[in-house]
């Protein structure tokens, strides 16, 4: 209603059809692991350089071809194995994209309180970021207990090469 684009309008909206459907890897994980039941899909997919990226409720980062809906690569850090977070359960709302013009990275906070960096072209952890591509966000937090009372569900924000990651803290 508020877009200046004119490809889709009241006169042709009835003619729209589904171009493709994509099945989340969470479905297979949940089938094989009853304790890993994903929460709502609340991710805002991210498009960069012609690739669609998503972060599933169970924490799998996926690159998708937006024209066909085919998975290009997926990376499962298996953070869901740490158990269901007490705050909102298994839930992720997005990831961030960073580039210096040569390297491209996706950054994501995990429900088990890590900040991950993954190569956007390959889906492999960034070896130059933290230890094995991740940074422990509970380090030096006296009362933080991974998954139990400290988790990250929101997308990080990058401002001038600084990553800002909010946290969910169970205060019950």
């Amino acid at each position: 209603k508020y877009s200046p684009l004119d490809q889709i309008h009241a006169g042709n909206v009835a003619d729209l059809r589904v171009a493709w459907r994509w099945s989340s890897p969470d479905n297979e994980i949940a089938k094989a692991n009853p304790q890993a039941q994903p929460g709502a899909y609340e991710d805002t997919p991210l498009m960069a350089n012609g690739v669609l990226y998503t972060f599933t409720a169970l924490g799998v980062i996926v690159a998708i071809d937006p024209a066909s809906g085919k998975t290009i690569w997926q990376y499962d850090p298996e953070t869901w194995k740490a158990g269901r977070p007490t705050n909102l359960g298994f839930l992720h709302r997005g990831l961030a994209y960073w580039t210096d013009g040569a390297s491209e990275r996706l950054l994501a906070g995990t429900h088990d309180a890590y900040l991950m960096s993954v190569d956007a072209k390959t889906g492999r952890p960034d070896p130059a970021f933290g230890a094995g591509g991740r940074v422990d966000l509970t380090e030096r937090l006296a009362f933080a207990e991974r998954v139990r009372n400290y988790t990250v569900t929101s997308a990080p924000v990058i401002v001038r090469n600084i990553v800002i990651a909010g946290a969910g803290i169970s205060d019950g």
Side-chain angles (χ1 to χ4, degrees):
K1 180 175 179 180
Y2 302 102
S3 173
L5 302 176
D6 60 4
Q7 274 186 305
I8 299 171
H9 50 79
N12 68 8
V13 72
D15 298 327
L16 295 177
R17 300 289 178 257
V18 173
W20 52 262
R21 294 184 195 274
W22 177 78
S23 182
S24 171
D26 286 3
N27 298 330
E28 293 303 314
I29 293 169
K31 248 191 258 180
N33 304 278
Q35 82 284 3
Q37 295 304 308
Y41 178 74
E42 293 188 10
D43 175 53
T44 300
L46 177 68
M47 180 84 131
N49 295 325
V51 177
L52 187 64
Y53 298 100
T54 191
F55 194 26
T56 73
L58 291 179
V60 181
I61 299 174
V62 185
I64 302 168
D65 176 347
S68 68
K70 301 249 187 273
T71 297
I72 298 168
W73 57 257
Q74 68 184 39
Y75 171 64
D76 181 2
E78 299 184 341
T79 58
W80 51 269
K81 288 183 176 180
R84 183 184 184 278
T86 57
N87 292 357
L88 298 168
F90 292 113
L91 174 74
H92 291 290
R93 294 188 173 115
L95 35 82
Y97 173 84
W98 172 89
T99 185
D100 62 3
S103 299
E104 297 176 64
R105 299 290 182 261
L106 299 169
L107 289 107
T110 66
H111 73 267
D112 64 344
Y114 286 94
L115 180 65
M116 297 187 307
S117 175
V118 174
D119 186 303
K121 292 179 183 171
T122 66
R124 293 189 191 108
D126 175 5
F129 187 83
R134 66 185 195 167
V135 172
D136 184 349
L137 297 176
T138 65
E139 191 173 314
R140 292 188 251 160
L141 293 178
F143 302 106
E145 295 178 39
R146 194 175 312 286
V147 179
R148 186 164 180 266
N149 71 359
Y150 190 92
T151 186
V152 180
T153 59
S154 61
V157 176
I158 302 171
V159 179
R160 296 188 181 138
N161 293 328
I162 295 174
V163 180
I164 302 163
I169 299 168
S170 179
D171 58 1

